[in-house]
């Protein structure tokens, strides 16, 4: 039978050679397909997240140091230092009027943010001068379309909020606390609402974007691809809010802002989108 196959179809060496050529041809095709797939994903990533990583002069130790000190400073300033100073001055937050509580929140947020900026500047001082694309603010560039496109994502972020609540609902026994912002809105105190609007739509976007998009995201590109840095910094951004019921929308929002930042290499667009989102949520509370 073997002799018949060889005599009818050619010699054993010819058949073996043909099989090898076929196998090589299939391997080449598979490799070409894989390369096309990878290059396609690379092109998509380059379109979504911009080109290349940042030049990062510091190591992972500095990244961890900055983030831990930043979180600790927010906790210390907001939970201990400001309340202690207020108590020393004879004020108690609970006894303040709606306007007083709003002003207290604004001053606390400003103190927390400025402390974080001082920590960041101190930790990076030995690396100055930084490359020109670090902590860049500019009105120039074609980032306006990206911000507008990001605003169209707000309904999806809202939907993810509901999905998150379905996955991790509030415990029935957990008390539902009414925030000072909501109390001011119910009381319709215009001055208090303006002060809270400044906190959520101006102060918070500035501090958070400088730390998470301005510092953390570019720093991570030293150790991972840009798209992965966007994802990891977005998860860190969501975790920093200490609210598991908002994890999904915050991660997604962080990825949108991170994508806009990496495409423009400019903090202004991500700050603007962050501000618009917070204003959107604030106005939604006022309904």
């Amino acid at each position: 039978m073997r002799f018949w196959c060889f005599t009818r179809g050619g010699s054993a060496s010819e058949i073996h050679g043909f099989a090898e050529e076929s196998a090589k041809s299939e391997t080449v095709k598979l490799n070409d397909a894989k390369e096309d797939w990878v290059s396609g994903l690379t092109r998509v990533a380059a379109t979504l997240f911009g080109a290349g990583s940042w030049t990062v002069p510091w190591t992972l130790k500095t990244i961890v140091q900055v983030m831990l000190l930043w979180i600790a400073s927010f906790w210390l300033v907001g939970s201990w230092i400001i309340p202690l100073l207020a108590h020393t001055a004879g004020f108690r937050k609970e006894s303040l009027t709606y306007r007083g509580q709003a002003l207290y929140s604004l001053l606390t947020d400003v103190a927390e943010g400025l402390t974080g900026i001082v920590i960041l500047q101190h930790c990076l001082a030995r690396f100055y001068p930084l490359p020109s694309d670090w902590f860049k603010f500019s009105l120039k560039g074609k980032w306006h379309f990206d911000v507008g496109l990001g605003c169209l994502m707000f309904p999806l972020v809202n939907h993810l909020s509901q999905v998150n609540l379905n996955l991790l609902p509030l415990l029935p026994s957990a008390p539902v606390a009414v925030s000072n912002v909501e109390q001011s809105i119910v009381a319709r105190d215009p001055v208090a609402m303006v002060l809270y609007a400044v906190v959520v739509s101006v102060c918070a976007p500035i501090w958070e974007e400088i730390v998470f998009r301005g510092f953390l995201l570019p720093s991570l590109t030293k150790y991972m691809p840009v798209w992965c840095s966007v994802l990891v910094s977005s998860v860190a951004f969501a975790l920093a809010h200490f609210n598991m019921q908002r994890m999904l929308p915050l991660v997604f929002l962080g990825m949108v802002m991170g994508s806009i930042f990496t495409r423009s290499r400019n903090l202004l667009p991500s700050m603007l989108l962050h501000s618009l989102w917070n204003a959107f949520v604030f106005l939604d509370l006022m309904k």
Side-chain angles (χ1 to χ4, degrees):
M1 184 68 173
R2 288 176 60 191
F3 177 77
W4 180 83
C5 289
F6 289 149
T7 54
R8 295 290 297 273
S11 66
S13 60
E14 289 175 340
I15 293 176
H16 181 68
F18 177 77
E20 284 187 342
E21 289 296 326
S22 297
K24 288 180 181 178
S25 177
E26 289 298 321
T27 303
V28 169
K29 288 180 180 179
L30 287 173
N31 288 337
D32 288 344
K34 184 178 179 181
E35 289 177 2
D36 290 341
W37 182 72
V38 171
S39 62
L41 283 180
T42 304
R43 286 193 297 270
V44 171
T47 301
L48 289 176
F49 305 111
S53 58
W54 277 253
T55 301
V56 184
W58 45 81
T59 62
L60 186 62
K61 179 182 177 181
T62 301
I63 300 173
V64 173
Q65 180 188 40
V66 169
M67 296 309 298
L68 289 180
L69 286 175
W70 181 78
I71 293 170
S73 71
F74 258 67
W75 176 73
L76 267 175
V77 171
S79 301
W80 290 93
I81 296 177
I82 297 296
L84 180 61
L85 292 175
H87 179 73
T88 304
F91 294 103
R92 290 180 65 251
K93 184 180 179 182
E94 295 77 14
S95 63
L96 295 174
T97 63
Y98 291 125
R99 296 180 183 186
Q101 291 184 4
L103 182 60
Y104 180 95
S105 296
L106 176 60
L107 294 176
T108 301
D109 198 87
V110 170
E112 289 171 340
L114 291 177
T115 304
I117 299 302
V118 170
I119 288 172
L120 183 61
Q121 187 175 19
H122 175 75
C123 292
L124 303 185
R126 65 183 184 274
F127 302 106
Y128 288 169
L130 300 178
S132 60
D133 57 348
W134 279 91
F135 303 108
K136 180 182 175 183
F137 294 85
S138 176
L139 291 170
K140 298 178 181 179
K142 300 178 180 179
W143 48 264
H144 307 83
F145 175 78
D146 288 344
V147 172
L149 192 61
C151 290
L152 295 179
M153 299 292 178
F154 289 173
L156 179 56
V157 178
N158 258 348
H159 178 69
L160 286 174
S161 299
Q162 188 58 50
V163 171
N164 205 151
L165 279 173
N166 292 337
L167 293 173
L168 291 171
L170 292 171
L171 296 175
S173 58
V176 180
V178 180
S179 67
N180 294 332
V181 180
E182 292 170 318
Q183 291 177 17
S184 298
I185 291 173
V186 171
R188 293 298 175 185
D189 188 316
V191 175
M193 287 192 287
V194 168
L195 291 173
Y196 282 124
V198 172
V199 172
V200 301
S201 299
V202 179
C203 297
I206 292 175
W207 315 137
E208 292 175 8
E209 290 307 303
I210 287 175
V211 172
F212 290 101
R213 253 64 64 180
F215 170 74
L216 181 60
L217 193 163
S219 297
L220 292 174
T221 62
K222 184 173 184 176
Y223 301 99
M224 58 188 72
V226 174
W227 69 266
C228 195
S229 302
V230 171
L231 176 60
V232 173
S233 62
S234 300
V235 172
F237 168 71
L239 289 172
H241 286 78
F242 300 102
N243 190 338
M244 294 304 295
Q245 276 73 34
R246 297 178 61 200
M247 273 295 295
L248 283 179
L250 286 174
V251 169
F252 180 76
L253 187 66
M255 292 182 67
V256 173
M257 293 186 296
S259 302
I260 290 175
F261 171 67
T262 56
R263 283 166 58 84
S264 63
R265 302 282 176 128
N266 183 1
L267 274 169
L268 188 59
S270 62
M271 281 184 182
L272 179 58
L273 183 64
H274 195 155
S275 176
L276 290 172
W277 164 253
N278 285 4
F280 174 80
V281 173
F282 187 77
L283 291 173
D284 192 53
L285 285 174
M286 293 177 64
K287 291 180 179 179

